[in-house]
Amino acid sequence: MKISIQTYSSIYQKQVEKLVLGIQNDEFGLGLTAQDQPDLPNIAEFYKNGRFWVALDENDQLMGTIGIEPLTDGQASLRKMFLDKTMRGNKDENLAQRLFETLLQYAKEKGYQELWLDTPPPAKAAHRFYERNGFELMPVESTPSTYKHPAIEGLKIYRLTIN
């Protein structure tokens, strides 16, 4: 299987919503709707000052997503990093790492010094992934004032300092 990563196009809106909501609700039981999230109903508009990428297989099926939202001049938020179940732990594709490196390269080009993200308590594999990639667990109170995070009990906040 060959997975390509490309900049989001609105033709993938429904596939993105289906992937994200499926993982949030069916796997993690968060009970969220697209309307509960500021970016999900209109990805193109929300990420117009940042970037959103999709990972597609050879049949144009969505296998993963990742987005970056500017917060301040030097800070940005990593958002909506989701992988189809079949891609998780797939060492041949290494899709999570490829998506993250795509975003990290963009962040460096834009001159960001910090990346922030939040992830729900049940997403243990995601916590390990972020920690392996140099993110530090931070208190919720330390987030930039422009950072909007969901009101989820036990939410984990991470920060990566970019060199």
Side-chain angles (χ1 to χ4, degrees), residues 49-75:
N49 296 320
R51 184 72 57 88
F52 195 86
W53 294 269
V54 291
L56 303 164
D57 70 9
E58 58 271 7
N59 299 316
D60 222 26
Q61 290 303 299
L62 187 70
M63 293 288 118
T65 63
I66 194 168
I68 187 169
E69 174 196 16
L71 297 172
T72 68
D73 282 347
Q75 300 169 313

Short mmCIF file of all heavy atoms in Angstrom, two decimals, residues 49-75:
data_model
loop_
_atom_site.label_atom_id
_atom_site.label_comp_id
_atom_site.label_asym_id
_atom_site.label_seq_id
_atom_site.Cartn_x
_atom_site.Cartn_y
_atom_site.Cartn_z
N ASN A 49 -5.16 30.10 7.85
CA ASN A 49 -3.92 30.73 8.29
C ASN A 49 -2.88 29.70 8.75
O ASN A 49 -1.79 30.07 9.17
CB ASN A 49 -4.19 31.72 9.43
CG ASN A 49 -5.07 32.85 8.95
OD1 ASN A 49 -4.89 33.35 7.85
ND2 ASN A 49 -6.03 33.25 9.77
N GLY A 50 -3.24 28.43 8.67
CA GLY A 50 -2.34 27.34 9.03
C GLY A 50 -2.29 26.38 7.86
O GLY A 50 -2.21 26.80 6.70
N ARG A 51 -2.39 25.09 8.17
CA ARG A 51 -2.38 24.09 7.11
C ARG A 51 -3.01 22.82 7.65
O ARG A 51 -2.93 22.54 8.85
CB ARG A 51 -0.93 23.83 6.70
CG ARG A 51 -0.69 22.90 5.54
CD ARG A 51 -1.03 23.42 4.16
NE ARG A 51 -0.39 24.63 3.73
CZ ARG A 51 0.78 24.71 3.10
NH1 ARG A 51 1.48 23.64 2.87
NH2 ARG A 51 1.24 25.88 2.73
N PHE A 52 -3.64 22.07 6.77
CA PHE A 52 -4.23 20.77 7.14
C PHE A 52 -3.84 19.78 6.05
O PHE A 52 -3.89 20.11 4.88
CB PHE A 52 -5.78 20.89 7.23
CG PHE A 52 -6.43 19.75 7.93
CD1 PHE A 52 -6.56 19.75 9.31
CD2 PHE A 52 -6.94 18.67 7.22
CE1 PHE A 52 -7.18 18.69 9.97
CE2 PHE A 52 -7.56 17.61 7.88
CZ PHE A 52 -7.68 17.62 9.26
N TRP A 53 -3.40 18.60 6.48
CA TRP A 53 -2.97 17.58 5.52
C TRP A 53 -3.83 16.33 5.66
O TRP A 53 -4.33 16.01 6.75
CB TRP A 53 -1.52 17.17 5.77
CG TRP A 53 -0.52 18.24 5.53
CD1 TRP A 53 0.14 18.51 4.36
CD2 TRP A 53 -0.03 19.19 6.48
NE1 TRP A 53 0.99 19.57 4.53
CE2 TRP A 53 0.92 20.01 5.82
CE3 TRP A 53 -0.28 19.44 7.82
CZ2 TRP A 53 1.60 21.04 6.45
CZ3 TRP A 53 0.39 20.48 8.46
CH2 TRP A 53 1.32 21.25 7.77
N VAL A 54 -3.98 15.62 4.56
CA VAL A 54 -4.66 14.33 4.55
C VAL A 54 -3.69 13.28 4.01
O VAL A 54 -2.86 13.58 3.15
CB VAL A 54 -5.96 14.36 3.71
CG1 VAL A 54 -7.01 15.23 4.38
CG2 VAL A 54 -5.71 14.84 2.29
N ALA A 55 -3.81 12.08 4.53
CA ALA A 55 -3.04 10.94 4.04
C ALA A 55 -4.02 10.03 3.31
O ALA A 55 -5.04 9.63 3.87
CB ALA A 55 -2.38 10.21 5.20
N LEU A 56 -3.71 9.75 2.05
CA LEU A 56 -4.63 8.99 1.20
C LEU A 56 -3.96 7.75 0.64
O LEU A 56 -2.78 7.78 0.29
CB LEU A 56 -5.08 9.88 0.02
CG LEU A 56 -5.74 11.20 0.41
CD1 LEU A 56 -5.77 12.14 -0.77
CD2 LEU A 56 -7.14 10.95 0.95
N ASP A 57 -4.75 6.66 0.55
CA ASP A 57 -4.21 5.47 -0.08
C ASP A 57 -4.39 5.58 -1.60
O ASP A 57 -4.89 6.59 -2.10
CB ASP A 57 -4.84 4.19 0.50
CG ASP A 57 -6.30 3.98 0.11
OD1 ASP A 57 -6.83 4.71 -0.75
OD2 ASP A 57 -6.91 3.06 0.69
N GLU A 58 -3.98 4.55 -2.31
CA GLU A 58 -4.02 4.61 -3.78
C GLU A 58 -5.45 4.68 -4.34
O GLU A 58 -5.65 5.02 -5.49
CB GLU A 58 -3.24 3.45 -4.41
CG GLU A 58 -3.72 2.07 -4.02
CD GLU A 58 -3.06 1.49 -2.78
OE1 GLU A 58 -2.30 2.21 -2.10
OE2 GLU A 58 -3.32 0.32 -2.46
N ASN A 59 -6.46 4.38 -3.50
CA ASN A 59 -7.86 4.47 -3.91
C ASN A 59 -8.52 5.78 -3.43
O ASN A 59 -9.74 5.89 -3.42
CB ASN A 59 -8.65 3.27 -3.38
CG ASN A 59 -8.12 1.97 -3.94
OD1 ASN A 59 -7.84 1.88 -5.13
ND2 ASN A 59 -7.93 0.99 -3.07
N ASP A 60 -7.70 6.73 -2.99
CA ASP A 60 -8.19 8.03 -2.52
C ASP A 60 -9.01 7.92 -1.23
O ASP A 60 -9.87 8.76 -0.97
CB ASP A 60 -9.00 8.72 -3.63
CG ASP A 60 -8.68 10.21 -3.72
OD1 ASP A 60 -7.56 10.61 -3.34
OD2 ASP A 60 -9.57 10.97 -4.15
N GLN A 61 -8.74 6.87 -0.46
CA GLN A 61 -9.41 6.70 0.83
C GLN A 61 -8.55 7.34 1.91
O GLN A 61 -7.33 7.16 1.94
CB GLN A 61 -9.63 5.22 1.15
CG GLN A 61 -10.66 4.56 0.26
CD GLN A 61 -12.00 5.26 0.34
OE1 GLN A 61 -12.62 5.35 1.39
NE2 GLN A 61 -12.47 5.77 -0.80
N LEU A 62 -9.21 8.06 2.82
CA LEU A 62 -8.51 8.77 3.89
C LEU A 62 -7.95 7.78 4.91
O LEU A 62 -8.67 6.96 5.46
CB LEU A 62 -9.49 9.72 4.57
CG LEU A 62 -8.89 10.65 5.60
CD1 LEU A 62 -8.01 11.70 4.93
CD2 LEU A 62 -9.98 11.31 6.41
N MET A 63 -6.64 7.90 5.17
CA MET A 63 -5.97 7.04 6.13
C MET A 63 -5.46 7.81 7.35
O MET A 63 -5.10 7.22 8.36
CB MET A 63 -4.78 6.34 5.46
CG MET A 63 -5.16 5.35 4.39
SD MET A 63 -5.89 3.86 5.11
CE MET A 63 -7.51 3.89 4.41
N GLY A 64 -5.42 9.16 7.23
CA GLY A 64 -4.94 9.95 8.37
C GLY A 64 -5.08 11.43 8.11
O GLY A 64 -5.27 11.86 6.97
N THR A 65 -4.99 12.21 9.20
CA THR A 65 -5.10 13.67 9.12
C THR A 65 -4.16 14.30 10.14
O THR A 65 -3.80 13.68 11.15
CB THR A 65 -6.52 14.17 9.46
OG1 THR A 65 -6.82 13.83 10.81
CG2 THR A 65 -7.56 13.58 8.53
N ILE A 66 -3.80 15.56 9.87
CA ILE A 66 -3.07 16.37 10.85
C ILE A 66 -3.21 17.83 10.42
O ILE A 66 -3.27 18.12 9.22
CB ILE A 66 -1.58 15.96 10.96
CG1 ILE A 66 -0.92 16.57 12.20
CG2 ILE A 66 -0.82 16.32 9.68
CD1 ILE A 66 0.46 15.97 12.53
N GLY A 67 -3.30 18.72 11.40
CA GLY A 67 -3.42 20.14 11.10
C GLY A 67 -2.59 20.99 12.03
O GLY A 67 -2.22 20.55 13.12
N ILE A 68 -2.28 22.20 11.58
CA ILE A 68 -1.55 23.16 12.41
C ILE A 68 -2.31 24.49 12.39
O ILE A 68 -2.69 24.97 11.32
CB ILE A 68 -0.08 23.32 11.97
CG1 ILE A 68 0.70 24.18 12.96
CG2 ILE A 68 0.01 23.84 10.54
CD1 ILE A 68 2.21 24.17 12.74
N GLU A 69 -2.54 25.03 13.58
CA GLU A 69 -3.24 26.30 13.73
C GLU A 69 -2.31 27.29 14.43
O GLU A 69 -1.79 26.99 15.50
CB GLU A 69 -4.49 26.10 14.59
CG GLU A 69 -5.20 27.39 14.93
CD GLU A 69 -6.19 27.25 16.08
OE1 GLU A 69 -6.14 26.27 16.84
OE2 GLU A 69 -7.01 28.16 16.22
N PRO A 70 -2.07 28.47 13.82
CA PRO A 70 -1.24 29.47 14.49
C PRO A 70 -1.93 29.96 15.78
O PRO A 70 -3.15 30.14 15.79
CB PRO A 70 -1.16 30.62 13.49
CG PRO A 70 -1.68 30.08 12.20
CD PRO A 70 -2.55 28.92 12.52
N LEU A 71 -1.14 30.16 16.83
CA LEU A 71 -1.67 30.70 18.09
C LEU A 71 -1.14 32.11 18.32
O LEU A 71 -1.89 33.03 18.60
CB LEU A 71 -1.27 29.80 19.26
CG LEU A 71 -1.82 28.38 19.25
CD1 LEU A 71 -1.19 27.56 20.36
CD2 LEU A 71 -3.33 28.38 19.37
N THR A 72 0.18 32.26 18.25
CA THR A 72 0.85 33.56 18.39
C THR A 72 1.96 33.56 17.34
O THR A 72 2.09 32.59 16.59
CB THR A 72 1.48 33.73 19.79
OG1 THR A 72 2.56 32.80 19.91
CG2 THR A 72 0.48 33.51 20.90
N ASP A 73 2.77 34.59 17.33
CA ASP A 73 3.87 34.64 16.35
C ASP A 73 4.77 33.40 16.44
O ASP A 73 5.19 32.88 15.43
CB ASP A 73 4.72 35.90 16.53
CG ASP A 73 4.04 37.11 15.93
OD1 ASP A 73 3.06 36.94 15.18
OD2 ASP A 73 4.49 38.24 16.21
N GLY A 74 5.05 32.95 17.64
CA GLY A 74 6.00 31.84 17.78
C GLY A 74 5.38 30.51 18.20
O GLY A 74 6.08 29.53 18.38
N GLN A 75 4.06 30.48 18.35
CA GLN A 75 3.41 29.28 18.85
C GLN A 75 2.29 28.83 17.92
O GLN A 75 1.58 29.65 17.34
CB GLN A 75 2.80 29.55 20.24
CG GLN A 75 3.83 29.95 21.27
CD GLN A 75 3.15 30.46 22.54
OE1 GLN A 75 2.23 31.26 22.49
NE2 GLN A 75 3.62 29.99 23.68
#
